[in-house]
């Protein structure tokens, strides 16, 4: 199977694609690519995510409002293995998804809330959902303009949030406890 992709020079880099072990997306195979220390993504998927971030950072003022959802969706969709850092990462990114998607907080306020929550700690490992969500970073990569990019990130973030629905009550409790502790 060979696919075309303008972000990878017109073809899949490294030959045949492989499934990312975090999200299941078919991404370019990469034996030597870099990944993240505790985010559970294949090197090819991490590379695609990097290209999406490049787009956002290249015009950060335009993409600022959606950037945090991009980061949260990716981190929550690639939870990694149980460890203190992975546990906290998944927890705070899911909390920010809750703050933005369910409570409708603007990015700055949701980010401040996430930072407050992360300093509170007390998180436990949440068993990842059987399916990490039906939309992946590949959906965002295919956006043709900023409006479509934003719409696709929102769809992706919603899909990831829904995938974690079995843990929504725990996530809401963590957010509420931290917010009470900070008098919010």
């Amino acid at each position: 199977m060979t696919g075309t992709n303008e972000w990878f020079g017109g073809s899949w880099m490294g030959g045949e694609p492989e499934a990312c072990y975090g999200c299941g997306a078919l991404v370019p195979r990469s034996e030597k690519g870099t990944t993240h220390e505790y985010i559970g993504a294949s090197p090819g998927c991490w590379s695609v995510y990097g290209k999406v971030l490049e787009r956002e950072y290249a015009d950060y003022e335009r993409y600022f409002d959606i950037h945090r959802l991009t980061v949260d969706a990716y981190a929550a969709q690639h939870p990694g293995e149980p460890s203190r850092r992975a546990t906290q990462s998944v927890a705070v990114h899911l909390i920010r998804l809750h703050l933005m998607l369910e409570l409708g907080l603007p990015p700055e306020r949701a980010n401040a809330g996430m930072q407050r929550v992360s300093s509170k700690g007390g998180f436990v490992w949440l068993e990842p959902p059987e399916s990490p969500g039906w939309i992946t970073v590949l959906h965002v990569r295919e956006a043709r303009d900023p409006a479509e990019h934003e719409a696709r990130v929102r769809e992706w973030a919603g899909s990831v949030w829904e995938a974690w629905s079995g843990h929504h009550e725990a996530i809401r409790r963590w957010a509420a406890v931290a917010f009470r502790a900070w008098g919010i």
Side-chain angles (χ1 to χ4, degrees), residues 46 66 85 102 105 112 149 174:
W46 185 253
I66 202 67
R85 291 170 71 193
E102 285 198 328
L105 294 183
H149 180 96
W174 288 337

Side-chain angles (χ1 to χ4, degrees), residues 19-25 35 39-43 78:
C20 172
Y21 50 83
C23 68
T35 59
I39 289 180
S42 69
H78 298 82

